[in-house]
Amino acid sequence: MALARFVTASRGAAGAWGSMKWRSFHLGPRSRLGIGPRRLARLRELTAEGLRRRRAAACRSSQDVDWESWRGYAEALATANEASAAEKPKSEGEGVGDEAHHLTALQAPNGSAVVLLTPTQKLTFTGKCQLICLYGCVQVSGFIISQGRQECNLFSPHTHSALTIEAVSHKQSDKTKKDSRTEARAVLKQCLPLASRRTLMKKFSPACSIILLTGLNETVSNFILSHQDYAGLFTTKQKEKRFCIKPSEPALTAIGIAQLKTQCGHVMSESSQLATKELVQACVEENDGYPVILVCGPKNVGKSTFNRHLINGLLNQIPCVEYLELDLGQTEFTPPGCISFLNITEPLLGPPFMHQREPHKMIYYGEASCEHDLERYIETVKYILCFCKRDAPLVVNTMGWVKGFGLMLLIDIIRLLSPSHIVQLSVKDTEDLVPLTPEYVQTATGLHTKGKLQVKHKNLGMLGAEDPEQQEEEKEDLCFQKFTGHKLLCVQCDFHGVGDPGSVRCHSNILRDLAILGYLSKMQPVELDQLVPVNSLIPYQVPFHAVALWTIHSDVAPAHIMYTMNASWVGLCRVLEDFKHHSEGPILLTQTPICDCLGFGIVRGIDMEKKMYHILTPVPPEKLRLVNCLLIGSIGIPHSILKNQHGIKGEIPYVTSTYNFDISGAGKIKMNKQLKRREHHKLY
């Protein structure tokens, strides 16, 4: 109300003074008044000053106007306008319009987008695309993509923090400005017409980077998007639309991505960047063999993201990185419930479900957590460590369970691996995990190991021990203590929602389902351009007598084993035993084996008359002939596979609705504990 009265009073004063101004200066031609142009301009200036004074007096005379607050608002507004006119840099996450204005994105005739990035400028986006660096170099998740490198596929779904393409300084001293402009024009000539090239070159400088973004059409994402539950995986969610930047949308929307504010991307803290730099330097130098880097911390602190940045940073310098996956719930390269060892040679530019890969060695644990069987977990870790080659730097990912037995288990793993570096991720002002210094690890009590003081005490006791079994057990404990110390790197993560389970972008069970869908996409026929639903694929036939069965997560009566098998996610494994001479009925194991897993499949159906399992799997036939054991765990088939498949008409084939609980010929075999020797055996 005060502001309205102020405006009314000002308008009244201006109107009265305006009429006086008209009468004073428009009585006749300037020649009659005898006033020159300069004096006339001065009179007008004085008149304007008088007008401002009258307006101010009229405003102050109004009792309802808060003049001081209004003047403060006007001064603040003037200051903001001056800052905008001077184009002052703004803090991250502010100035959406300015950020979009500075980004130059032009649409090419073939539908792709050519983007010009100034040094340290960022393009944060959601969607999927293919990137080619035409000039200069850019960085994505710690991996540097330079001019002349082959194209890279980028995947930025809303389940994870958005990817960011950042320009990297690359100016070469041996090139003049003219040479750089000539080179850029030659590159752009192949992509843009003359008018667009001129528009882009007006903002070009030798330190800029030019990238070509193309729409991406590939099997894995297309297969995942074909399921109704995940059809909007790469589209911008409603709550994120307010972070979209509109002026650059035409060129970027044409290729299927939407530009976001930089705050939507994952921001590496200063301690994360310093730790990554130090680890890369240590791996390049190799002063004392290849480093073993163990990454640990509680849930939702960014362990997987840090690992991806670290691996990408290492691949900038060396051709290969070894990776040991010890996290059962959130695996990086395999379906959930696995412990695996891999050689990584390609950068990681997307979430785990977009880069499912075949491991060098894999064991199917069968559960997303090891709380119910800690002894089998540590035995599985020991088994896979026998196959780690250590021909390159090794990155070890651990679970987010770091309290109670979880911490004791972590101590055991550290003593088993004897890492050279431990990266401990944490949240500021929290104490979820004590600092894992070398002194603490040496003295702490593990789940299966004792600290340094306890070992000395046991050494004294061993001299008088009379029980041979006790002596043997204590010797084994001492062999477990080969711990040589490490360097601890403490990293504090400060991205949005760090350490808060309620702020996660996507629940863990959904990420596990996406990983399984990414794995099943390998079954799509390469020769066909269109997707084939899982229910339309032809399964393999496996005789009952060729494979043994076992349920990992629960005890199942032999009469009910077929109920458990049907429509189940199974690990295709190989054990040492030969089942050729067993009965034709189902063969059941008596305990959970620790053995190689060659892949996974879905039991499509069971033919009780022909005694056949019908299994869908992407594992090639030459490897399937080595499979002689099917392990069933608590990992289930995604509901979208069972409920949202297209093309089902009439009766579903291969699915058994009735069983004969009197299974004749079903036999149990006892597993051999000696798993070091590997023998080959054909399925059929």
Side-chain angles (χ1 to χ4, degrees), residues 239-374:
K239 65 180 181 180
E240 293 179 345
K241 285 188 177 180
R242 61 191 180 96
F243 293 105
C244 289
I245 298 176
K246 299 194 179 208
S248 299
E249 280 188 358
L252 300 180
T253 304
I255 62 173
I257 68 175
Q259 184 185 1
L260 305 175
K261 292 168 64 175
T262 53
Q263 69 182 28
C264 295
H266 183 85
V267 179
M268 294 288 287
S269 63
E270 184 179 356
S271 58
S272 297
Q273 296 176 9
L274 293 175
T276 302
K277 184 178 180 181
E278 182 175 346
L279 292 171
V280 171
Q281 185 65 27
C283 293
V284 171
E285 291 176 353
E286 299 178 28
N287 292 330
D288 189 19
Y290 290 107
V292 177
I293 305 166
L294 185 141
V295 182
C296 61
K299 296 180 181 179
N300 195 35
V301 294
K303 293 191 297 296
S304 298
T305 304
F306 180 87
N307 288 336
R308 285 193 283 271
H309 276 77
L310 175 60
I311 292 173
N312 289 339
L314 290 172
L315 291 178
N316 290 328
Q317 305 289 337
I318 57 179
C320 178
V321 179
E322 294 181 349
Y323 184 83
L324 179 60
E325 181 64 82
L326 300 182
D327 188 355
L328 298 171
Q330 299 301 323
T331 51
E332 186 71 29
F333 300 102
T334 66
C338 296
I339 294 177
S340 59
F341 173 73
L342 303 93
N343 294 319
I344 309 301
T345 57
E346 295 296 328
L348 311 178
L349 305 176
F353 55 84
M354 293 307 304
H355 49 244
Q356 294 287 293
R357 300 180 182 178
E358 183 177 353
H360 176 72
K361 185 69 64 173
M362 177 171 60
I363 294 94
Y364 185 46
Y365 187 84
E367 298 186 63
S369 174
C370 65
E371 297 181 24
H372 302 298
D373 198 345
L374 297 174

Side-chain angles (χ1 to χ4, degrees), residues 501-625:
S503 64
V504 294
R505 288 176 168 265
C506 190
H507 293 293
S508 57
N509 59 333
I510 295 178
L511 296 178
R512 287 194 282 269
D513 286 351
L514 287 170
I516 294 176
L517 290 176
Y519 179 84
L520 292 177
S521 65
K522 300 177 183 179
M523 291 193 298
Q524 292 298 311
V526 181
E527 62 277 4
L528 297 181
D529 295 333
Q530 60 181 5
L531 294 174
V532 179
V534 172
N535 57 278
S536 299
L537 296 172
I538 301 176
Y540 291 97
Q541 292 183 345
V542 181
F544 283 2
H545 63 81
V547 292
L549 310 178
W550 183 251
T551 54
I552 298 173
H553 61 293
S554 62
D555 295 329
V556 179
H560 296 171
I561 192 66
M562 292 305 176
Y563 275 123
T564 308
M565 280 288 297
N566 193 29
S568 294
W569 177 259
V570 294
L572 308 178
C573 304
R574 169 161 178 80
V575 295
L576 293 178
E577 278 67 23
D578 187 356
F579 307 130
K580 271 186 177 181
H581 305 293
H582 283 269
S583 60
E584 294 184 357
I587 302 172
L588 308 181
L589 301 179
T590 56
Q591 62 184 8
T592 303
I594 299 177
C595 58
D596 293 350
C597 180
L598 305 181
F600 297 91
I602 297 176
V603 179
R604 181 75 165 80
I606 301 174
D607 191 332
M608 297 299 295
E609 294 181 359
K610 297 182 179 180
K611 297 185 182 298
M612 292 282 185
Y613 306 114
H614 297 275
I615 299 178
L616 290 168
T617 178
V619 179
E622 57 270 17
K623 279 195 171 183
L624 280 178
R625 294 188 179 95

Side-chain angles (χ1 to χ4, degrees), residues 396-412:
V396 184
N397 184 39
T398 59
M399 297 180 294
W401 183 29
V402 293
K403 293 183 178 180
F405 288 132
L407 176 59
M408 299 173 69
L409 190 62
L410 180 60
I411 296 296
D412 287 344

Side-chain angles (χ1 to χ4, degrees), residues 20 77 96 139 142 144 173 181 283 300 339 388 411 434 466 493 496 502 510 521 529 554 622 650 661:
M20 293 175 62
L77 184 62
V96 176
Q139 179 178 265
I144 296 178
S173 57
R181 293 184 69 88
C283 293
N300 195 35
I339 294 177
C388 293
I411 296 296
V434 296
E466 298 180 357
C493 301
H496 176 69
I510 295 178
S521 65
D529 295 333
S554 62
E622 57 270 17
F661 288 101

